[in-house]
Amino acid sequence: WGIAGASNLTMNQTLEGHQEAVVCAAWNEVYKKLTTSDQNGLIIVWMLHKGMWFEEMINNRNKSMVKDMKWTADGMKICIVYEDGAVIVGSVDGNRLWGKELKMQLQFVEWSPTGKQILFGTPQGEVHVYDQMGNYVNKVPLFSDDPTAKIAGLMWYNMVEGLVDPQAPTLAIGFDNGRVQLMVSEDDEKPILIDTGLRTPQDKPGLYGMPVLWNSNGSVLAVSGVSTKKGPEGIKEISQVQFYDHCGHHLRTLKVPGSGISGLAWEGGGLRIALAVESFIYFANIRPDYKWGYFGHTVAYAFNKHDRMDHCVVFFDTQTGQKNVKYVKKLMSIKGAGEYCVLATRTDDPGVYILILCNAIGAPVDSKYINIEPQNLFMTDTHVVATSGDVICVWQYSSKVSKLTSIDSSMESVALKKKDGKEAVWHVDESPSSSTGGFDKLRMDRMTEDPISCVAASSSMLLVARESGIVQRYSLPHLALEHKYKLSCCPHQMAVNCDSTRFSIIDLNGVMTMFDLEGGKGKEENDMGLPPGEMVQGFERRDAWDMLWAEDNPELIVMMEKSRMYVLRGTSPEEPVLSSCYLCKFKDLTINTVLMDDIMAFPESPDLEFMVDFETKSLRDTREIIRTVGLADATQFVEDNSHPRLWGLLSEAALERLELMTAEKAFVKTGDYQGIQLVKRLSQYGDKNKQRAEVEVYFKRFDEAEKIYRDMDRLDLAIDMRAKLGDWFTVKDMLLAQGAGDDDSMLTNAHSSLGDYYFDRQMWGKALPWYKKSNAVNKLVDCMYNLEDYDGLVDLVIHPDKQLPEHSPLLLSVGDKLASVGLAEQAVEAFVRGGDVKQAIDCCVLLNQWDQAISLAEQHDFPQIEGLLTKYASHLLDDGRKMEAIELYRKAGRHPLAAKHLAEIAHECVKTRANPMRARRLFVLAALEVEKFRAKTLNVQ
């Protein structure tokens, strides 16, 4: 599955044309052409035609030897430099564009990414800049710390695949003293300087240089050379390739046999590198350190687009296949754990970085500003650990732990409180204590001679490894230095097992070892009662690049070695599986992995096929024994390799075969109470068919269970099963097929449940007929209201054939619903029939139907209405809303009061003489109100 570098060479052809040794070659990626030159200066351009390579062009200057030649990024032009200073620039179609004789010796040439500048490296250790037409521009500033150092390698990344960071260097210059200079541009005054410790071979300095080579996306720089090592036979030279990221951090060292490396070449996708060693070509697989993380069921990964400066981060749901995309500026790394992931980013302010906590869809949940560069990042279910070379920052983003043991619990360490989201920060040479706080208390001027190389953590401890091999152990979540361990290597990667008794290490050379934290127990314990710990003897794996402990077994770990996956129980490996997958999760004897190489090849269209699950050998063997041998042998095998997942397999197989004793034993081992109850229930059934049907239900094979019940002529059991499942459509059909009538209680329940099915999905129209069939009036009322069928609600109140009985509680509910839409008269009728006259009066008052409210109050002897009317009218008058108060008096039948206030307003109009016509009308209205009062009084008399 996804084996990196699995492709073989597709062609092996000897190109005949050179009479002397070939000294340099250049590949044109765009036009697929190969250019070579020999010691006589003969240049040949080769092209592929009908599956064979042929000479396309030949050029021989016959004056000097070609030292270097390079194509532009677009493949349109080639620059050829000769040892005597001659420079020729030609086009891809063979035309000479220009030539120039420079008054200096030349060693290297390199085009800028845009093709507008050319760099020339001289044997004297200088790099000159010319424009594309051969005009001198300036000299590149060099910082080799040695005036006699010579240029050993020169490469400018072409930026075809974009930049991993807007400020990432693209120009790499290597010196024969082992120094490498990384520059953002040709005039960068503050380059990144690397001391690789490599040299050119002493016996063959001319043949073997010190090549420097960027990979296809400019994220990794390969530097080759030799390192010296003193031994019994004197000084020994060891050929090496060292890999650095774009920031100059050392990633890995690859040792190569032979007396020197004469050439390097990356594969197009950056997954392999070819090394020319003497008369051999070596191929090394590269496992890129992608920016990615796995959490929950989501893979988050980042990639660059050539047309954007920020990173595109994809959150890919590995269960549904859904993806969410967000763009993040200056992203540095991604880590995931539990239900969240953290993105480490750089801000525009120097020295300020952000840790962004995101959920499964990429939405930010929380963030933390930190003042250290997060060179190492680790995440657990509750903490994020970020370290620079000398400072440790622990951010407790989740409070799943007990308050008694959290960072903000102890009175002694009040400064470590997580109050207001504050982090704990301390220098690696110090111990966290009561004086430890945030960045405001950190001394930023202090440096360490032993930098941090990597970190790892579990729920109870934090491990911080340093380049000297010292590993410092801290407790979590309450931070305290517990122990220091000494390793014999420089850890590059660490991982802690699930019970925090062991941790594994991969060093810079890819050697994996283990350390037993409980080793030496009872011997030289420290002040905190912890044993000294010891390396796990007899265990060492080479060429390791990833590892992951099982979440449910402290003895199980999976590791990646070259292109093989090994599962280790203790230190004993199982049979390897060919794979180059990246490890996501190890639980229940299943390893969840992701084909990151395939995803990054087409990062905008991830597929569920890129998620691959592997089973451990014990799980595969258990399946095979159950299938081919029998349960007795399978039980013995599971007892010898006890694991809840294996007992679960055994219980399922035993239930399938109705071997209840074995099934009960397996359920007891896994602590499955429901399974134990199932076995007890099955043992009470005398009918094997009934037992088998119950087993089918347990395995959720409901159609098979129904078939068994039907064959037994027990349709009632099938109906009960479907009813428990909530499959009311099938229950209805089965009851009707059985001849059930409308008065059948089960059928009525089925109709009501079908109505609930549609009601829960807000499909009111489809729910209504089912509620009518089941006579579920309460749900019927809700459906009618949601459908705005107010006529139907009114019928429930006043229709002779449909109305609800007197004093039914539903009448009050109907009244509320009618009142909410302003149907006052019908709502009052519902309240009165429901026996709640007070609510009917309140409804009238609320809807401003005061005449009806007064009438109801007089009929049912509610004197409180007078006080409410007076109070409300006074409120309106105090607010200056006289006309509204007059309207209130008119509706309530208080005509004298209405006439009084109308007359007052009319008199005010007369005094102001503003609108005589309005005053006249108001007097008329007042008179009409008096007339209504007189008529009402005479009628009463």
Side-chain angles (χ1 to χ4, degrees):
W1 287 94
I3 301 173
S7 59
N8 297 317
L9 294 177
T10 57
M11 180 175 291
N12 186 4
Q13 179 184 344
T14 301
L15 304 184
E16 299 179 354
H18 289 288
Q19 303 300 320
E20 296 291 337
V22 176
V23 293
C24 61
W27 173 253
N28 187 326
E29 175 62 26
V30 179
Y31 292 95
K32 309 301 181 187
K33 293 184 179 183
L34 175 66
T35 308
T36 58
S37 178
D38 59 25
Q39 289 179 334
N40 289 335
L42 176 65
I43 301 173
I44 302 178
V45 179
W46 307 85
M47 64 174 293
L48 185 66
H49 180 67
K50 294 183 179 180
M52 297 292 291
W53 287 91
F54 294 94
E55 298 174 359
E56 183 186 24
M57 288 177 283
I58 297 178
N59 181 40
N60 194 350
R61 183 165 167 263
N62 290 324
K63 286 187 178 181
S64 179
M65 183 173 69
V66 175
K67 297 299 291 184
D68 198 7
M69 50 189 176
K70 293 288 176 60
W71 289 93
T72 54
D74 59 7
M76 294 299 295
K77 293 185 287 187
I78 186 172
C79 182
I80 304 168
V81 298
Y82 292 84
E83 190 175 23
D84 61 359
V87 179
I88 297 176
V89 175
S91 64
V92 68
D93 54 11
N95 296 321
R96 177 168 171 164
L97 299 178
W98 58 268
K100 181 170 286 191
E101 297 281 345
L102 302 182
K103 298 179 180 180
M104 57 182 172
Q105 289 185 317
L106 298 178
Q107 185 76 20
F108 295 100
V109 65
E110 183 62 271
W111 287 94
S112 68
T114 59
K116 295 181 179 180
Q117 294 167 309
I118 311 175
L119 299 185
F120 297 113
T122 70
Q124 291 74 30
E126 296 178 344
V127 178
H128 298 268
V129 183
Y130 284 71
D131 66 14
Q132 59 183 333
M133 298 308 297
N135 301 312
Y136 178 78
V137 177
N138 63 344
K139 187 186 294 186
V140 176
L142 302 179
F143 302 87
S144 64
D145 287 347
D146 183 1
T148 63
K150 298 180 180 180
I151 305 296
L154 179 64
M155 183 176 183
W156 206 335
Y157 168 54
N158 58 25
M159 293 196 287
V160 171
E161 296 186 20
L163 287 172
V164 295
D165 188 278
Q167 300 300 319
T170 54
L171 176 58
I173 302 173
F175 301 93
D176 61 358
N177 64 355
R179 294 295 183 99
V180 176
Q181 177 173 322
L182 304 182
M183 309 175 70
V184 177
S185 62
E186 74 280 1
D187 54 0
D188 187 358
E189 294 289 343
K190 294 182 179 180
I192 298 173
L193 302 177
I194 307 171
D195 188 359
T196 65
L198 301 177
R199 300 289 187 274
T200 57
Q202 295 182 359
D203 54 343
K204 303 174 182 177
L207 179 60
Y208 299 118
M210 222 181 79
V212 293
L213 200 65
W214 289 108
N215 68 345
S216 59
N217 62 7
S219 61
V220 179
L221 179 72
V223 183
S224 68
V226 297
S227 63
T228 56
K229 181 179 181 181
K230 291 184 179 180
E233 301 176 357
I235 297 177
K236 182 181 178 182
E237 291 186 342
I238 302 173
S239 299
Q240 291 183 356
V241 181
Q242 293 185 4
F243 297 92
Y244 297 86
D245 66 8
H246 66 278
C247 296
H249 299 141
H250 186 205
L251 300 177
R252 191 63 70 89
T253 297
L254 175 65
K255 295 181 180 179
V256 182
S259 60
I261 301 172
S262 58
L264 297 175
W266 284 93
E267 190 181 38
L271 298 181
R272 284 197 298 181
I273 190 169
L275 315 174
V277 181
E278 298 175 350
S279 60
F280 300 94
I281 298 177
Y282 291 94
F283 293 93
N285 288 336
I286 304 296
R287 307 310 299 130
D289 187 13
Y290 298 114
K291 291 182 176 70
W292 79 287
Y294 180 83
F295 59 102
H297 300 286
T298 304
V299 173
Y301 61 91
F303 66 97
N304 294 98
K305 291 185 176 181
H306 62 85
D307 56 341
R308 294 189 66 132
M309 296 300 290
D310 48 6
H311 284 78
C312 178
V313 183
V314 178
F315 294 82
F316 177 56
D317 191 318
T318 61
Q319 289 187 329
T320 64
Q322 181 182 358
K323 70 170 184 175
N324 295 279
V325 178
K326 69 180 299 182
Y327 291 92
V328 181
K329 293 182 178 179
K330 299 180 180 180
L331 179 68
M332 299 179 67
S333 58
I334 302 176
K335 294 293 178 183
E339 299 300 320
Y340 302 99
C341 72
V342 63
L343 312 180
T345 65
R346 183 186 296 109
T347 66
D348 294 331
D349 299 329
V352 180
Y353 304 85
I354 313 178
L355 303 178
I356 305 173
L357 194 72
C358 296
N359 60 14
I361 60 173
V365 177
D366 201 354
S367 63
K368 175 67 62 178
Y369 282 82
I370 60 176
N371 296 335
I372 60 170
E373 181 182 356
Q375 297 176 3
N376 301 292
L377 193 65
F378 198 89
M379 189 176 186
T380 69
D381 290 351
T382 54
H383 293 79
V384 172
V385 182
T387 73
S388 63
D390 50 7
V391 176
I392 305 166
C393 172
V394 176
W395 172 31
Q396 182 176 323
Y397 68 87
S398 174
S399 57
K400 292 181 181 179
V401 294
S402 168
K403 290 184 178 180
L404 297 176
T405 58
S406 63
I407 286 180
D408 56 349
S409 63
S410 172
M411 292 301 294
E412 299 175 358
S413 57
V414 67
L416 287 180
K417 286 187 177 181
K418 187 180 169 288
K419 194 173 181 181
D420 299 329
K422 195 169 184 179
E423 66 285 339
V425 185
W426 70 97
H427 195 275
V428 69
D429 291 332
E430 299 174 350
S431 298
S433 62
S434 57
S435 61
T436 305
F439 287 100
D440 54 339
K441 293 188 176 182
L442 182 69
R443 287 176 51 194
M444 302 299 292
D445 57 340
R446 183 175 179 181
M447 303 296 291
T448 182
E449 296 180 355
D450 188 9
I452 299 170
S453 61
C454 63
V455 293
S458 66
S459 59
S460 61
M461 74 164 63
L462 166 65
L463 297 178
V464 178
R466 309 177 73 168
E467 291 183 0
S468 64
I470 293 176
V471 177
Q472 298 176 188
R473 170 178 171 177
Y474 302 88
S475 59
L476 278 180
H478 174 65
L479 294 165
L481 180 62
E482 294 184 331
H483 212 300
K484 290 186 178 181
Y485 307 105
K486 184 68 175 75
L487 306 180
S488 59
C489 63
C490 175
H492 176 69
Q493 185 179 347
M494 294 191 301
V496 187
N497 68 350
C498 61
D499 64 354
S500 301
T501 56
R502 279 187 178 185
F503 70 92
S504 52
I505 311 105
I506 297 178
D507 66 15
L508 285 173
N509 296 316
V511 178
M512 176 181 171
T513 52
M514 289 188 194
F515 191 89
D516 186 359
L517 293 168
E518 296 187 344
K521 203 167 187 178
K523 297 179 183 178
E524 304 171 2
E525 296 183 349
N526 67 355
D527 297 338
M528 304 186 74
L530 295 174
E534 59 187 12
M535 297 297 297
V536 176
Q537 301 298 319
F539 176 77
E540 183 178 287
R541 307 291 300 193
R542 297 187 176 275
D543 299 316
W545 56 272
D546 199 4
M547 57 189 173
L548 183 66
W549 288 92
E551 296 180 12
D552 50 5
N553 191 328
E555 293 292 316
L556 287 178
I557 184 174
V558 58
M559 62 157 298
M560 303 302 298
E561 181 181 299
K562 293 185 179 179
S563 57
R564 289 181 175 83
M565 176 191 296
Y566 287 89
V567 175
L568 306 171
R569 184 180 291 271
T571 58
S572 303
E574 295 182 356
E575 295 178 4
V577 178
L578 286 175
S579 174
S580 294
C581 297
Y582 284 72
L583 304 174
C584 296
K585 185 178 180 180
F586 188 8
K587 189 177 181 181
D588 290 335
L589 302 180
T590 301
I591 304 151
N592 306 123
T593 67
V594 57
L595 298 170
M596 283 305 302
D597 297 331
D598 297 66
I599 285 182
M600 298 306 288
F602 303 97
E604 296 186 66
S605 55
D607 196 279
L608 291 176
E609 294 180 355
F610 298 148
M611 303 302 301
V612 184
D613 293 342
F614 294 92
E615 294 183 344
T616 62
K617 187 174 184 297
S618 57
L619 185 57
R620 299 194 303 268
D621 289 348
T622 302
R623 292 187 194 278
E624 187 64 20
I625 293 173
I626 290 174
R627 187 178 66 85
T628 60
V629 181
L631 289 183
D633 292 326
T635 303
Q636 185 61 47
F637 180 82
V638 173
E639 287 180 347
D640 296 339
N641 301 272
S642 183
H643 191 279
R645 178 74 184 278
L646 301 183
W647 286 111
L649 272 183
L650 186 64
S651 65
E652 293 175 3
L655 281 178
E656 291 276 13
R657 304 178 188 185
L658 296 180
E659 296 193 16
L660 302 183
M661 293 293 292
T662 304
E664 185 176 20
K665 179 180 180 179
F667 282 130
V668 169
K669 290 287 188 180
T670 57
D672 188 346
Y673 179 75
Q674 287 79 10
I676 296 172
Q677 293 299 312
L678 172 67
V679 173
K680 288 184 178 180
R681 191 166 66 250
L682 291 177
S683 61
Q684 296 173 0
Y685 297 156
D687 191 343
K688 289 285 185 183
N689 288 328
K690 194 173 182 181
Q691 289 180 343
R692 191 166 300 283
E694 287 289 327
V695 170
E696 297 292 349
V697 172
Y698 177 78
F699 289 122
K700 299 181 180 180
R701 299 194 290 261
F702 305 114
D703 292 338
E704 290 81 352
E706 181 182 337
K707 184 176 184 302
I708 294 174
Y709 284 135
R710 286 181 180 275
D711 292 342
M712 293 170 58
D713 198 19
R714 292 297 304 271
L715 193 60
D716 57 323
L717 295 177
I719 293 173
D720 289 340
M721 178 195 72
R722 292 293 182 182
K724 288 178 182 178
L725 294 173
D727 186 3
W728 295 105
F729 291 97
T730 305
V731 170
K732 172 185 67 74
D733 294 339
M734 294 170 72
L735 287 171
L736 292 175
Q738 200 178 24
D742 292 337
D743 57 346
D744 188 284
S745 60
M746 184 62 111
L747 185 60
T748 301
N749 187 27
H751 288 159
S752 178
S753 299
L754 287 172
D756 292 340
Y757 172 83
Y758 289 115
F759 187 90
D760 293 341
R761 288 156 180 78
Q762 300 184 6
M763 302 166 70
W764 325 115
K766 291 185 177 181
L768 192 65
W770 294 113
Y771 286 140
K772 286 182 178 179
K773 286 185 178 182
S774 63
N775 199 28
V777 185
N778 54 341
K779 294 293 183 67
L780 200 62
V781 169
D782 292 334
C783 268
M784 288 179 176
Y785 181 69
N786 291 325
L787 288 169
E788 301 181 5
D789 182 10
Y790 305 124
D791 292 337
L793 290 175
V794 171
D795 288 344
L796 293 177
V797 178
I798 61 176
H799 195 282
D801 299 328
K802 301 179 182 178
Q803 66 181 2
L804 295 169
E806 294 282 341
H807 300 290
S808 171
L810 279 176
L811 284 169
L812 301 181
S813 175
V814 172
D816 285 332
K817 289 176 169 53
L818 292 174
S820 67
V821 294
L823 297 176
E825 184 178 348
Q826 295 85 345
V828 168
E829 179 69 20
F831 287 132
V832 171
R833 290 194 64 233
D836 194 340
V837 178
K838 183 180 182 304
Q839 196 167 351
I841 295 174
D842 292 342
C843 172
C844 292
V845 171
L846 184 66
L847 297 177
N848 208 20
Q849 301 294 322
W850 286 94
D851 52 347
Q852 195 172 0
I854 297 295
S855 175
L856 281 172
E858 291 175 351
Q859 290 177 22
H860 298 278
D861 193 20
F862 271 85
Q864 297 90 342
I865 192 67
E866 284 292 336
L868 182 62
L869 174 64
T870 304
K871 188 175 181 180
Y872 184 48
S874 300
H875 169 71
L876 292 174
L877 292 172
D878 292 341
D879 283 354
R881 296 150 64 184
K882 285 188 176 182
M883 295 305 294
E884 293 183 32
I886 292 168
E887 183 66 21
L888 175 65
Y889 284 134
R890 289 182 68 249
K891 286 189 175 182
R894 302 296 186 264
H895 303 295
L897 292 173
K900 174 186 174 182
H901 289 292
L902 283 168
E904 289 176 355
I905 297 174
H907 282 299
E908 290 176 3
C909 288
V910 170
K911 288 179 181 179
T912 58
R913 298 181 179 180
N915 193 341
M917 184 58 70
R918 185 169 186 267
R920 177 185 175 186
R921 290 173 179 172
L922 288 171
F923 280 127
V924 171
L925 287 174
L928 290 174
E929 288 299 315
V930 172
E931 187 64 28
K932 286 181 181 179
F933 174 70
R934 180 182 297 170
K936 184 177 179 181
T937 304
L938 292 174
N939 288 336
V940 171
Q941 291 176 353

